[in-house]
Amino acid sequence: VLGKVALVTGGGKGLGRATALLLAAEGAKIAISDIDGKAGEAVVAEIRKAGGEALFLQQDITDEDRWIEVIAAVKKAYGALNIVVNNAGIAFPGTAEDTPFESWKKMISVNLDGVFLGTKHAIIGMKDGVGSIVNISSIEGIIADPALAAYNAAKGGVRIFSKSAALHCAKSGYKIRVNSVHPGYILTPLLEEYLDMFQDGKERRKAIENLHPIGHMGDPDDIAYGVLYLASDESKFVTGSELVIDGGYTAQ
């Protein structure tokens, strides 16, 4: 990815931060977008301190007009756009019976609509060049959890939508690949916040660790290296695929 330009949404923390730092370390110019300006600016400062190039753009990924502005700003700053990582997302529990409709719509808006908009405008912004779009789904986009109804729906949507987008790009003759990444449980601020919602958070954490045959949860870097592969020319024959990084969770 040396010399390439990458946009990472939700780049202020967790998987997005790890991905942005790794892509920068490998020589990419990084645009970080996040709804949290303080977190995003901190990662930009981290990249610059290490000698990399980075900029921050405030973004609500559910706002289509802002998507158009963000991609234009990246291309203006760096002269190109080669990689888009649609990582920003939210998570909260709820079953098919007890999830409020407003909560359902919020989950779909951020986790699915945001990825749709990011993919759509990445294609428009990159179709005259060569590009890679990496959409962060989840193992919850492949298998179901009774307590994650809306999250399952959104992440499952990301999985199959990414394949549709990949086929569209291929059949249109665009040199744009689209793939999805499916992490198992990764120790991120988002997961920590989820566990903190429960009184038995420590017990739940141990139970989650035990769900993975490998014996532990993953680190953000485990996912970042998968994104790096899909973003790089080494994966030039990979499109419409789903990269599962889950410590054996879904192999059971």
Side-chain angles (χ1 to χ4, degrees):
V1 296
L2 182 64
K4 291 191 176 183
V5 178
L7 168 63
V8 181
T9 71
K13 55 188 175 183
L15 303 186
R17 173 182 175 274
T19 297
L21 291 175
L22 181 59
L23 291 172
E26 292 291 326
K29 298 173 183 177
I30 307 295
I32 288 173
S33 86
D34 205 300
I35 204 161
D36 183 341
K38 188 176 179 181
E41 292 282 12
V43 179
V44 166
E46 207 173 339
I47 291 170
R48 288 176 177 169
K49 187 177 180 181
E53 287 189 63
L55 62 86
F56 173 71
L57 295 160
Q58 190 98 25
Q59 185 182 21
D60 173 352
I61 61 166
T62 67
D63 181 340
E64 184 165 19
D65 289 340
R66 184 57 181 155
W67 264 111
I68 294 167
E69 292 169 356
V70 162
I71 287 181
V74 175
K75 293 179 77 172
K76 182 178 180 180
Y78 293 131
L81 179 61
N82 313 110
I83 300 160
V84 173
V85 183
N86 286 305
N87 163 78
I90 58 173
F92 48 77
T95 71
E97 183 178 8
D98 65 22
T99 299
F101 189 34
E102 287 306 312
S103 298
W104 169 277
K105 288 190 284 187
K106 175 70 172 177
M107 183 76 78
I108 298 299
S109 176
V110 175
N111 286 7
L112 184 54
D113 295 352
V115 171
F116 158 67
L117 291 172
T119 302
K120 172 184 177 179
H121 290 289
I123 292 170
I124 293 169
M126 297 193 296
K127 65 184 180 181
D128 292 331
V130 178
S132 174
I133 300 169
V134 183
N135 293 331
I136 306 300
S137 179
S138 168
I139 56 169
E140 301 295 345
I142 300 172
I143 58 172
D145 183 321
L148 294 172
Y151 192 74
N152 279 146
K155 292 299 189 178
V158 169
R159 173 182 175 269
I160 199 68
F161 166 70
S162 298
K163 295 179 187 295
S164 174
L167 292 176
H168 165 71
C169 289
K171 291 180 181 297
S172 299
Y174 302 154
K175 294 177 181 178
I176 301 172
R177 297 179 295 105
V178 187
N179 295 284
S180 59
V181 175
H182 299 259
Y185 284 86
I186 309 297
L187 264 178
T188 65
L190 188 66
L191 180 59
E192 298 279 13
E193 288 169 16
Y194 172 72
L195 292 173
D196 286 345
M197 294 171 69
F198 301 96
Q199 288 186 335
D200 60 344
K202 288 184 178 179
E203 290 79 7
R204 282 177 182 260
R205 175 172 172 165
K206 186 62 181 173
I208 290 171
E209 288 175 345
N210 292 337
L211 290 170
H212 300 78
I214 208 163
H216 57 82
M217 283 189 271
D219 294 318
D221 279 350
D222 295 324
I223 308 308
Y225 278 105
V227 175
L228 173 65
Y229 168 67
L230 293 174
S232 70
D233 294 337
E234 282 74 13
S235 61
K236 61 183 173 61
F237 195 54
V238 182
T239 196
S241 75
E242 52 196 64
L243 177 56
V244 180
I245 307 174
D246 70 352
Y249 191 114
T250 57
Q252 303 175 93

